[in-house]
Amino acid sequence: MLKKIRVILAVISIVLVTLCFVDFTGLADKWFGWTVKIQFLPALLALNLVVLASLVVLTLLLGRIYCSVICPLGIMQDIFGWLGKKRKKYRYSWSPAKNVLRIVFLCIMAVAVFLGIGVVVSLLAPYSAYGRICANLLAPVWDAANNVLAGIAESNGSYAFYKVNVGIQSWIVFGVAVATVVILAILAWRNGRTYCNTVCPVGTVLGFLSRFSLLSPVIDKSKCNSCGLCSRNCKASCIDGKNHRIDYSRCVACMDCIGTCAHHAISYGLRYRHEDDKNVKADAAPVSGSRRTFVMTALATAGAAALRAQEKKVDGGLAVIEDKQIPDRKVKIVPPGALSIKNLADHCTACQLCIQACPNDVLRPSTDLERLMKPEASYENGYCRPECTRCSEVCPTGAIIKITPADKSAIQVGHAVWVRKNCIPLTDDVECGNCARHCPTGAIQMINSVAGDESSRKIPAVNTEKCIGCGACENLCPARPFSAIYVEGHQIHRTI
């Protein structure tokens, strides 16, 4: 029964988290956005003390139930492991904990957080890894299926669905997502929770706490005949059936062992009542005797987190015109609410949730090594509408703080720059003024290209003090392949 409850909760959990990444309507985030905010590392980076305290208490009470019920990457590995069971049952075996590797990866994460090496943090963070998988592998399939339904509905005179762009935002991020799935699938298929109990820094921290949990699976020596069946069914490889021991730092409370034991020698309950058989004490200390190192590393990770707390064709249906090209910006643009490029780099785990949530197709993963896979804005497909604050609403780490439309209208993420050689009033001798007409802040005025000559073509003049860098001018400029006006980003955002 306990296993069935755990499986049901896990299925609900992974479905809700996945919907937050693939649903482009915003409804999933409105109702289920809390599921991404209760993930451990995002809560740590956002200094969400309520969530962190709740997860710590949950682990001290029930063990590493987080890894089996809340963490989507852990649940995904269970799915791969379950598929592996269809090929061969009881293929696991007990193995000693690789505590040295666990400490090494935790130290790497702590150093990366402290030094602001975002690429390392992004690659090791379990929640972010799952987010990239959803955004790059599942979302395109979801969008394509939606477009099929939209086409069917349209042919029947219904517009209950609407078509959306389908494509890969970044082939680099796509490659990382594919590699992550392949590696995790192989590990989980063959060895169960190898990633969770060797590489994952969250699993290492929670594993330390779970060694002192109140409730856990326990072995009754009087009933156990040392058949080893529990060991061969344990995906965490943490049960030494012959010696009646369970390594609680690796046990993810999946309850598989309870259902497997034919003699009912394993039960889930108060662990310390069995202390007389030294089942707990045998596994209390890490193999390397490095408890002090572990504690110091975990504290360093938390302290570091606290310190670092398909191109559109705009042709009116008359002719195919040249695609727009991305301008060479000296400073990249990051979303309003990010405060600065440095703040985004320090807190973002590159989960891609804000990119998926952006309804205007403005955000995409960065390809710069320093900010690899983290969001940046570009305006070839759309512009950052002043009334939209979706990215700030979904960010679980504090990399983009929550803002209101009123706040956003006064945040300057960059400023517009006019490029004379591309402006069509001068190149094609025609009237334009698109940039001035669509500027939401009135920062662009049209002036005579020749001072004092009222008959000369009008060109834009930018008031950089009023410009907020929304990109409406850049996106709607008819010049091709490069716009005659583009936005240059700011390192630090300011309020105008």
Side-chain angles (χ1 to χ4, degrees):
M1 178 59 71
L2 288 177
K3 179 181 177 181
K4 290 181 179 179
I5 294 174
R6 193 266 304 172
V7 171
I8 291 172
L9 292 176
V11 170
I12 293 173
S13 177
I14 194 171
V15 168
L16 296 186
V17 172
T18 303
L19 283 175
C20 289
F21 281 94
V22 301
D23 179 50
F24 51 83
T25 65
L27 293 176
D29 175 72
K30 179 180 178 181
W31 293 101
F32 313 126
W34 56 271
T35 58
V36 302
K37 291 182 171 63
I38 62 172
Q39 302 299 317
F40 187 89
L41 190 58
L44 179 63
L45 292 173
L47 293 181
N48 192 331
L49 299 182
V50 174
V51 171
L52 289 175
S54 300
L55 293 178
V56 168
V57 171
L58 179 69
T59 304
L60 290 175
L61 287 177
L62 306 178
R64 281 178 61 182
I65 201 75
Y66 170 91
C67 299
S68 285
V69 174
I70 300 176
C71 177
L73 198 70
I75 299 170
M76 186 186 77
Q77 291 175 78
D78 284 347
I79 295 173
F80 289 136
W82 176 76
L83 293 174
K85 281 185 179 180
K86 299 297 182 181
R87 179 179 61 89
K88 180 182 178 181
K89 290 185 177 181
Y90 310 128
R91 67 192 188 284
Y92 304 127
S93 61
W94 177 82
S95 63
K98 298 176 177 59
N99 286 319
V100 174
L101 281 177
R102 298 168 81 180
I103 295 297
V104 166
F105 280 111
L106 183 61
C107 288
I108 291 173
M109 173 64 91
V111 171
V113 171
F114 183 78
L115 298 180
I117 307 175
V119 175
V120 175
V121 176
S122 301
L123 291 175
L124 290 180
Y127 157 76
S128 299
Y130 185 76
R132 287 190 294 273
I133 292 169
C134 288
N136 292 275
L137 304 183
L138 299 182
V141 176
W142 178 279
D143 294 343
N146 169 82
N147 288 352
V148 170
L149 291 175
I152 295 173
E154 184 179 350
S155 64
N156 288 278
S158 171
Y159 294 91
F161 300 90
Y162 59 90
K163 292 185 178 181
V164 295
N165 290 333
V166 180
I168 304 301
Q169 291 277 11
S170 168
W171 286 104
I172 294 177
V173 182
F174 178 81
V176 171
V178 170
T180 302
V181 170
V182 171
I183 292 172
L184 291 180
I186 293 174
L187 289 176
W189 180 282
R190 298 183 59 184
N191 303 308
R193 290 287 191 120
T194 300
Y195 169 84
C196 298
N197 287 329
T198 305
V199 179
C200 179
V202 175
T204 300
V205 171
L206 295 181
F208 175 77
L209 296 174
S210 68
R211 292 188 297 114
F212 310 102
S213 63
L214 184 64
L215 300 174
S216 293
V218 290
I219 300 176
D220 187 341
K221 280 186 175 182
S222 63
K223 296 181 179 180
C224 179
N225 66 352
S226 302
C227 68
L229 196 60
C230 54
S231 300
R232 288 184 284 135
N233 195 57
C234 178
K235 59 195 172 191
S237 301
C238 68
I239 303 179
D240 184 359
K242 297 188 180 299
N243 294 308
H244 313 99
R245 291 181 181 179
I246 299 177
D247 181 354
Y248 293 110
S249 72
R250 290 185 289 161
C251 176
V252 294
C254 65
M255 314 301 175
D256 287 354
C257 55
I258 297 176
T260 299
C261 183
H263 303 282
H264 306 290
I266 304 179
S267 61
Y268 183 76
L270 291 170
R271 189 192 340 157
Y272 290 99
R273 68 182 180 181
H274 297 264
E275 193 169 323
D276 57 339
D277 66 9
K278 298 184 180 180
N279 187 37
V280 176
K281 297 298 183 181
D283 296 300
V287 173
S288 62
S290 56
R291 178 182 299 183
R292 182 178 301 173
T293 303
F294 178 90
V295 173
M296 294 302 294
T297 304
L299 289 175
T301 304
L307 290 173
R308 294 278 182 182
Q310 342 317 332
E311 267 43 37
K312 280 186 179 178
K313 296 178 179 179
V314 187
D315 58 9
L318 299 176
V320 176
I321 58 177
E322 196 171 2
D323 292 334
K324 277 200 172 186
Q325 300 295 317
I326 302 174
D328 184 17
R329 307 182 208 274
K330 295 178 181 177
V331 178
K332 300 299 183 181
I333 307 165
V334 294
L339 303 181
S340 67
I341 291 179
K342 183 177 184 300
N343 181 74
L344 182 77
D346 289 347
H347 292 84
C348 178
T349 62
C351 70
Q352 315 287 296
L353 184 57
C354 59
I355 295 174
Q356 287 301 112
C358 180
N360 305 312
D361 205 12
V362 167
L363 298 180
R364 71 275 316 275
S366 173
T367 55
D368 293 344
L369 183 60
E370 186 179 357
R371 298 183 300 277
L372 187 65
M373 301 185 292
K374 298 182 179 182
E376 64 182 31
S378 200
Y379 303 125
E380 296 74 55
N381 299 329
Y383 65 93
C384 194
R385 296 181 179 273
E387 72 277 7
C388 176
T389 57
R390 291 281 292 125
C391 57
S392 76
E393 294 168 0
V394 302
C395 179
T397 68
I400 308 174
I401 63 173
K402 191 170 183 178
I403 58 174
T404 66
D407 295 329
K408 183 177 179 180
S409 65
I411 296 175
Q412 188 180 63
V413 301
H415 66 275
V417 177
W418 178 58
V419 182
R420 183 184 183 91
K421 65 179 182 180
N422 295 339
C423 196
I424 64 171
L426 302 180
T427 59
D428 296 357
D429 193 27
V430 295
E431 292 292 346
C432 183
N434 249 23
C435 52
R437 281 193 297 273
H438 294 94
C439 178
T441 64
I444 302 176
Q445 301 294 323
M446 301 302 291
I447 63 174
N448 295 321
S449 57
V450 179
D453 184 359
E454 294 296 328
S455 63
S456 61
R457 296 294 186 187
K458 294 188 179 296
I459 57 175
V462 180
N463 183 344
T464 56
E465 293 300 312
K466 295 176 66 176
C467 178
I468 60 174
C470 69
C473 54
E474 178 181 331
N475 174 250
L476 298 170
C477 177
R480 294 294 190 278
F482 293 101
S483 295
I485 192 166
Y486 74 96
V487 177
E488 190 65 62
H490 288 176
Q491 290 281 356
I492 301 175
H493 297 173
R494 70 185 185 93
T495 302
I496 59 174

